[in-house]
Amino acid sequence: MFEDFKEQSYNAAKEIIEKANLKEGSILVVGCSTSETLGSKIGTDSSPEAAEKIFEGIFTAAKEKGVFVAAQCCEHLNRAIITERKAVPFNDTVNVVPQPKAGGSFATSAYKTFENPVALEEISADAGLDIGFTMIGMHIKKVAVPVRLTNNKIGNATVLAARSRPKFIGGIRAIYDENLL
């Protein structure tokens, strides 16, 4: 079962990276409820084993394109972010290490995998994956635009996705680039 999670997460990450046109150095924020992937209510059945496979799939797809992954912790850590120091060299960090029941299994897996992990209160990511209704919107740059994925399930969890686009500034007759919509 967990090997399926790895493949499903790889496919979802690859799809959002392509659809959001992420470039090397871009940041993909991911919130993941392993409870939801297993068919349980969010926050009730955390699984480090499922998290490892899901993270592995996403991390592999991101590394192929040179995209950084930012793992969102659960609400017990105020949805803090775990990412590589290289992704945010000048950001202020916070002093926390996620655990499966305090931060979430997914963020814990990210922390254990990254070369030089750091925790942040917030981030402004270029795109995101929300696995199991984890509410990643607060960590995506303005303006967040929903992206419909064909790879929209990991286990039993629904996968939602978003990308960012530049703000439109000006009057209602402002000229804009339709490719940004």
Side-chain angles (χ1 to χ4, degrees):
M1 165 179 30
F2 295 149
E3 284 301 317
D4 291 342
F5 290 179
K6 179 180 171 183
E7 181 180 353
Q8 293 164 349
S9 63
Y10 174 85
N11 291 336
K14 186 173 179 176
E15 185 177 359
I16 187 59
I17 289 167
E18 289 172 4
K19 286 187 171 181
N21 197 27
L22 297 183
K23 307 290 186 226
E24 186 173 337
S26 296
I27 297 174
L28 175 69
V29 66
V30 180
C32 176
S33 168
T34 57
S35 299
E36 291 277 337
T37 64
L38 295 171
S40 299
K41 182 181 169 196
I42 192 168
T44 62
D45 194 16
S46 188
S47 171
E49 298 83 11
E52 286 174 16
K53 292 301 180 183
I54 295 166
F55 183 78
E56 187 178 340
I58 292 167
F59 195 50
T60 299
K63 282 177 39 176
E64 289 173 0
K65 293 290 186 177
V67 171
F68 290 106
V69 174
Q72 178 180 274
C73 295
C74 70
E75 66 181 292
H76 298 103
L77 293 183
N78 300 318
R79 299 193 191 340
I81 294 293
I82 306 299
T83 195
E84 289 279 10
R85 168 49 78 192
K86 288 187 286 188
V88 291
F90 305 108
N91 290 47
D92 291 333
T93 61
V94 294
N95 191 16
V96 68
V97 176
Q99 302 298 314
K101 301 263 185 207
S105 291
F106 185 79
T108 301
S109 184
Y111 192 90
K112 289 177 179 178
T113 304
F114 290 147
E115 276 181 42
N116 188 7
V118 294
L120 311 168
E121 276 190 273
E122 58 189 3
I123 200 165
S124 291
D126 302 289
L129 288 174
D130 184 318
I131 304 164
F133 305 106
T134 58
M135 306 297 286
I136 60 165
M138 65 191 281
H139 293 301
I140 297 177
K141 290 178 184 173
K142 295 178 184 175
V143 173
V145 178
V147 175
R148 290 187 186 269
L149 300 180
T150 54
N151 297 289
N152 61 4
K153 283 283 198 190
I154 297 176
N156 292 299
T158 300
V159 179
L160 303 174
R163 64 173 176 81
S164 64
R165 67 150 173 82
K167 293 179 184 180
F168 294 137
I169 303 296
I172 58 173
R173 298 182 195 267
I175 298 173
Y176 61 90
D177 182 348
E178 289 185 12
N179 293 323
L180 296 176
L181 296 177

